[in-house]
């Protein structure tokens, strides 16, 4: 059942990212996927936003690089907000727009 929901979600779901002065609201739908829940992160909890590269799978032994916008929280936790970007520029654009709107100064993350 989970595999069926996941497959249908890949085909039909859209991700909506709404950034307000209160925070970042990320919703996925219309098909709910248990391990990809909707989430909200308050602005007061966001220390920094950055793009990270990760490898969700391999093709013929070669890594498939994917990019995500991740938040560094005020408690020093890393929380992936939205991932699955095949081009780093797309994730970088989203990160920069969110930082501009939320008045978060860009600084290096280690």
């Amino acid at each position: 059942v989970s595999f069926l929901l996941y497959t249908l979600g890949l085909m039909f779901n859209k991700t909506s990212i709404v950034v307000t002065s209160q925070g970042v609201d990320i919703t996925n739908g219309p098909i709910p996927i248990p391990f990809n829940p909707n989430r909200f992160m308050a602005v007061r909890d966001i220390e920094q936003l950055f793009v990270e590269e990760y490898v969700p799978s391999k093709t013929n032994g070669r890594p498939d690089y994917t990019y995500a916008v991740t938040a560094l929280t005020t408690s020093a936790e890393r929380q992936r907000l939205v991932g699955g970007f095949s081009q780093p520029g797309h994730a970088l654009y989203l990160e920069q727009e969110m930082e501009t709107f939320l008045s978060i100064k860009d600084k290096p993350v280690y």
Side-chain angles (χ1 to χ4, degrees):
V1 173
S2 294
F3 181 72
L4 179 61
L5 281 175
Y6 176 74
T7 303
L8 289 173
L10 286 177
M11 292 176 11
F12 297 110
N13 277 4
K14 302 287 184 211
T15 300
S16 174
I17 304 165
V18 178
V19 182
T20 67
S21 58
Q22 286 77 40
V24 179
D25 190 23
I26 301 170
T27 57
N28 301 291
I31 300 168
I33 299 177
F35 50 86
N36 193 14
N38 297 335
R39 57 197 164 280
F40 177 81
M41 182 174 281
V43 172
R44 68 179 174 278
D45 296 333
I46 301 173
E47 180 73 26
Q48 186 64 52
L49 296 171
F50 62 97
V51 172
E52 68 176 340
E53 179 182 75
Y54 64 101
V55 179
S57 63
K58 293 184 178 186
T59 303
N60 296 327
R62 296 181 56 193
D64 298 320
Y65 294 105
T66 306
Y67 305 89
V69 177
T70 302
L72 181 64
T73 66
T74 53
S75 60
E77 293 178 48
R78 292 177 183 225
Q79 290 191 15
R80 185 173 294 161
L81 298 178
V82 62
F85 292 99
S86 59
Q87 299 294 318
H90 297 163
L92 187 59
Y93 174 78
L94 180 60
E95 175 220 353
Q96 291 172 342
E97 290 296 311
M98 290 169 65
E99 284 178 337
T100 299
F101 184 83
L102 297 173
S103 300
I104 297 173
K105 219 174 204 179
D106 195 28
K107 55 187 173 186
V109 175
Y110 302 101

